[in-house]
Amino acid sequence: DVDDDKCIDCPAGKYASDAGQSSCTSCAAGLYAADAAAQCSDCPEGTYSAAEATTCTDCSVGYFMSGPAASACLACGTGTYASSEGSEGCTDCPAGYSASSTGASSCSPCASGTYAEAGSSECTKCDGGTWSDTSAASCSSCTPGTYSGAGAEACTDCDAGKHSGASASSC
């Protein structure tokens, strides 16, 4: 802005790219500018901004931005998470854990009797003849002489007078 034959710095969030301008232009969303800027700068990966921003804001936990100049961050998909602010990407849940909703900041351990492969959105019930502890990446087979139903956290001994092979769902 020109006032009383004196040049005035553009305020933060606005810029004047050419000499002799009579007004300042607002930075678009995804860009920012400090005082007296000749141009706006891209917000870096892991951040975003609204229009006329003076700084960029880190993406919240559970959200990410993998490219520069973003006007918003994206939620991590199911089976993934972002545990820190300013994330440039999401991480797959490790085996034995899951994230069933988008925007997760952490993954939940699978309960006994269930398992999950890495990047899972839900834990899967163990089949009959198998079992698992909490946070299991897979189910373990019942040993001969024991059995289990689906979703078991342990195998049960066969009653006297009965027997089973490995991975049995009954004696």
Side-chain angles (χ1 to χ4, degrees), residues 10-11 13-18 21 23-28 33-34 36-40:
C10 288
K14 296 187 175 194
Y15 72 100
S17 58
D18 298 319
Q21 285 191 234
S23 64
C24 300
T25 304
S26 296
C27 291
Q39 66 182 18
C40 299

Side-chain angles (χ1 to χ4, degrees), residues 86-163:
S87 292
E88 297 173 16
C90 301
T91 303
D92 281 350
C93 291
Y97 292 78
S98 68
S100 60
S101 61
T102 60
S105 59
S106 64
C107 301
S108 301
C110 292
S112 296
T114 66
Y115 73 97
E117 296 175 356
S120 293
S121 60
E122 59 185 39
C123 299
T124 303
K125 189 183 286 191
C126 292
D127 292 333
T130 66
W131 65 279
S132 75
D133 273 331
T134 58
S135 307
S138 62
C139 299
S140 300
S141 296
C142 292
T143 57
T146 65
Y147 72 98
S148 73
E153 50 188 81
C155 298
T156 305
D157 287 337
C158 292
D159 291 335
K162 297 189 175 204
H163 68 91

Side-chain angles (χ1 to χ4, degrees), residues 50-77:
E52 292 189 25
T54 59
T55 61
C56 300
T57 304
D58 283 344
C59 295
S60 300
V61 295
Y63 290 78
F64 75 101
M65 181 40 62
S66 58
S71 60
C73 296
L74 303 172
C76 291

Side-chain angles (χ1 to χ4, degrees), residues 35-47:
D35 286 335
Q39 66 182 18
C40 299
S41 299
D42 289 350
C43 286
E45 294 178 353
T47 67

